[in-house]
Amino acid sequence: MKAVVVPAPMEFERVFVAEIPDPVPGRGEVVIDVAAVDTNYPDFLVIEGKYQFRPPPPFSPGKAAAGRIAALGAGVGGFAIGDHVAVQVEYGAYAEKLCAPAAQCFPIPDGVDFETAAALGLTYQTAHFALAERARLQAGESVLVLGGSGGIGTAAIQLARAFGASPVIASVRAVEDAAIARAAGADVVIEAGAALAPDDFRDAARAATGGRGVDVVIDPVGGAYGTAALRALAWCGRLVVIGFASGEIPDFRANYLLVKNIAVLGLQWSDYRERAPALVARVQADLFARHLEGQLTPVIDSRLPLEEFKVALRALRDGAVQGKIILTLP
Ligand SMILES: NC(=O)c1ccc[n+]([C@@H]2O[C@H](COP(=O)([O-])OP(=O)(O)OC[C@H]3O[C@@H](n4cnc5c(N)ncnc54)[C@H](OP(=O)(O)O)[C@@H]3O)[C@@H](O)[C@H]2O)c1
């Protein structure tokens, strides 16, 4: 099979597509003929050895895909050859065939194509857990989503809306990205720009919430954006730390937490995949159901053949993706 192969941690521009042996499923595993790969920001960090989890080389990157089951390992129940599944793994999805634990495969319902199923994977799972599990969002509460035109951003805007949040506020850096966040369902878009002042989010959040501030912040960006967004929180608000697309980890001052009774919460979604697989499966079924009901429609930036994976990685590294880039296989 063809796969993107990382012989050792290295700059992603040096990585290549190679012909390697087909995987053979072990006990409890399935092999999937991959039809669509969901590209994600951490993919280039994994290739370059800068991610918290480093796969043993040689390896293929890629955390999420969708395709047809091609082979079943011993002891696998509930799946048959040819079933359409979405799959979440730590690495290995940038390949024609992917071997994964059956427990990390989720049936794709009729009416959902492979590209949509792949796009409804890691970013939507993360946004769902951030809003529902970590922030305990209640209908009627307000939400501020940073990085509003990105993968997590567009997913979090759509889910916040689907969960009944109001208003849903998003921030984007570039004026041209405001339309993406608005189309995803943001009621108010803050065009934060590069020259972000610490009070920008607070002032915009107050203006959008009748002076209260926001109940929940979803932060996949970090840096100055994360610290500024903390000031936008209302009394008893919650900020969920998702990632650091800005390249900087923010320092949150404990006196802010005390003064307003606010909370900063972390989310490492992959822990739930390992520790709470039944909950992850329920969330995936919920994501598919909400898509079929018209509540969630992944924003697809572009579709590229597997061989053009570097185009996707460059765009992710540069913060230039609007929604998701999907790699397709014949
Ligand atoms: N915690 C978890 O379990 C988990 C799971 C998945 C991903 N993540 C993390 O979440 C983060 C975002 O992932 P993603 O898939 O949404 O990536 P993405 O699609 O590339 O979106 C990131 C967005 O952040 C904004 N951004 C990028 N560079 C920036 C900069 N220098 N300064 C300010 N804003 C910047 C951009 O939005 P605008 O242009 O709209 O401002 C960009 O679209 C990554 O750090 C990733 O590792 C965490």
Side-chain angles (χ1 to χ4, degrees):
M1 69 163 178
K2 274 192 200 142
V4 175
V5 176
V6 183
M10 60 173 66
E11 214 254 314
F12 74 76
E13 295 287 1
R14 294 172 54 210
V15 167
F16 47 87
V17 173
E19 195 68 37
I20 59 171
D22 287 359
V24 177
R27 187 168 186 81
E29 293 180 332
V30 300
V31 169
I32 295 144
D33 278 333
V34 175
V37 181
D38 171 33
T39 65
N40 284 283
Y41 185 92
D43 296 346
F44 73 89
L45 298 176
V46 172
I47 294 172
E48 297 184 351
K50 296 173 182 163
Y51 195 63
Q52 52 259 42
F53 177 79
R54 294 175 193 180
F59 66 89
S60 298
K63 292 176 172 292
R68 294 178 188 80
I69 293 194
L72 301 167
V76 172
F79 286 114
I81 305 281
D83 281 359
H84 292 197
V85 291
V87 53
Q88 303 289 335
V89 286
E90 195 57 48
Y91 61 94
Y94 284 34
E96 287 180 330
K97 289 179 188 287
L98 167 61
C99 187
Q104 290 169 210
C105 296
F106 310 103
I108 302 175
D110 290 346
V112 182
D113 60 58
F114 288 128
E115 292 168 16
T116 305
L120 282 168
L122 177 62
T123 37
Y124 278 85
Q125 280 273 354
T126 303
H128 198 299
F129 273 83
L131 290 163
E133 192 67 22
R134 301 301 286 137
R136 303 273 167 192
L137 176 72
Q138 303 296 311
E141 287 191 314
S142 53
V143 173
L144 167 61
V145 177
L146 309 190
S149 71
I152 299 277
T154 49
I157 292 167
Q158 291 182 8
L159 273 163
R161 237 196 139 70
F163 291 155
S166 180
V168 178
I169 307 164
S171 82
V172 297
R173 287 169 304 163
V175 178
E176 59 270 22
D177 287 338
I180 301 287
R182 244 178 235 114
D187 300 300
V188 177
V189 179
I190 305 168
E191 289 159 16
L196 180 79
D199 291 338
D200 281 359
F201 285 152
R202 187 187 59 190
D203 296 345
R206 280 188 181 161
T209 56
R212 281 189 73 243
V214 289
D215 297 303
V216 172
V217 171
I218 299 297
D219 180 13
V221 174
Y225 292 78
T227 43
L230 192 76
R231 295 182 179 213
L233 283 176
W235 184 75
C236 282
R238 294 86 73 199
L239 181 150
V240 186
V241 177
I242 309 265
F244 313 110
S246 68
E248 285 173 46
I249 299 173
D251 287 323
F252 294 118
R253 295 188 35 197
N255 57 328
Y256 283 172
L257 312 191
L258 181 152
V259 166
K260 285 205 292 189
N261 286 282
I262 57 181
V264 174
L265 304 152
L267 172 63
Q268 169 86 334
W269 175 79
S270 55
D271 281 358
Y272 286 97
R273 189 188 61 213
E274 305 301 327
R275 293 169 182 258
L279 179 56
V280 168
R282 277 204 300 281
V283 166
Q284 194 62 53
D286 185 48
L287 292 170
F288 285 141
R290 288 180 189 271
H291 167 67
L292 289 169
E293 286 163 14
Q295 295 178 21
L296 307 175
T297 304
V299 177
I300 308 278
D301 176 300
S302 49
R303 297 163 176 83
L304 300 169
L306 178 69
E307 287 76 8
E308 290 184 33
F309 69 98
K310 289 180 195 173
V311 176
L313 295 179
R314 284 180 206 124
L316 287 162
R317 177 199 58 197
D318 297 342
V321 180
Q322 294 179 329
K324 306 286 331 179
I325 299 179
I326 301 294
L327 303 176
T328 56
L329 291 97

